[in-house]
Amino acid sequence: MKVSSPEPDIPGLCNCTKLRRAARHVSRFYDVQLAASGLRVTQYAILGLLKHRGPKSMLELAALMTMDRATIGHNLRPLERDGLVKIEVGPNDRRVRMVSVTQAGLERVALGRPGWDRAQAEFEAEFGAHNTTAMREMMDRVVACDLDGADRS
């Protein structure tokens, strides 16, 4: 009689589950630190990208955030409603929507900066400076992986 090996702990081994669990944990922490600014960490990241890299098309912004166009649109709606970003027709192609941060958006980024600084410092103190740097480098490599979901069989 052949003894079968125990089934592996799929949730404990699943790369996606582990990444999403860590992302939710860190996102909640940053959201708490940014609460005084009225921004969530994703909104703060979008405004920060626009502040530091200038106006972007929705597709460019989606790529920078590793989101699809529908998701970036969903995230931009409250920012536009609150006057923190401006979405305009592209200058060369009316189908393109250009997104830029407004003065109110810049002020909100400045309001959130102390919370972001606290979050960064506390995370690094807890996780370690070397681990924090290595994690950011590793996450960049993960995003750069060719994982388009295409059937490779």
Side-chain angles (χ1 to χ4, degrees):
M1 178 174 185
K2 186 175 180 181
V3 177
S4 63
S5 60
E7 186 169 323
D9 174 22
I10 300 300
L13 296 174
C14 180
N15 300 320
C16 185
T17 299
K18 291 290 189 178
L19 284 167
R20 290 176 63 96
R21 186 171 177 241
R24 284 190 299 272
H25 181 65
V26 173
S27 293
R28 277 194 304 266
F29 170 67
Y30 274 74
D31 284 344
V32 168
Q33 299 301 316
L34 289 166
S37 72
L39 295 172
R40 296 181 64 90
V41 69
T42 302
Q43 295 169 323
Y44 186 81
I46 290 169
L47 293 174
L49 278 170
L50 294 170
K51 174 186 175 186
H52 292 284
R53 300 193 184 176
K56 298 289 176 205
S57 73
M58 285 184 74
L59 287 176
E60 290 170 324
L61 190 56
L64 287 168
M65 293 293 295
T66 317
M67 294 178 176
D68 59 42
R69 191 176 188 284
T71 303
I72 199 69
H74 174 77
N75 280 276
L76 287 171
R77 274 193 284 285
L79 296 175
E80 183 182 30
R81 177 198 66 219
D82 295 344
L84 305 179
V85 299
K86 182 170 53 172
I87 302 174
E88 300 177 299
V89 173
N92 302 322
D93 186 342
R94 296 194 55 77
R95 296 170 296 178
V96 173
R97 297 294 177 258
M98 296 299 295
V99 184
S100 58
V101 64
T102 64
Q103 184 60 41
L106 293 173
E107 291 167 8
R108 193 71 69 88
V109 169
L111 184 62
R113 182 63 190 265
W116 182 84
D117 286 341
R118 275 192 313 277
Q120 289 285 104
E122 191 173 330
F123 182 90
E124 188 170 306
E126 181 70 27
F127 197 57
H130 175 75
N131 286 339
T132 300
T133 299
M135 178 208 57
R136 285 193 299 261
E137 291 169 355
M138 184 184 303
M139 292 299 105
D140 285 342
R141 289 194 311 270
V142 168
V143 170
C145 287
D146 182 20
L147 302 173
D148 62 6
D151 183 9
R152 297 167 198 245
S153 52

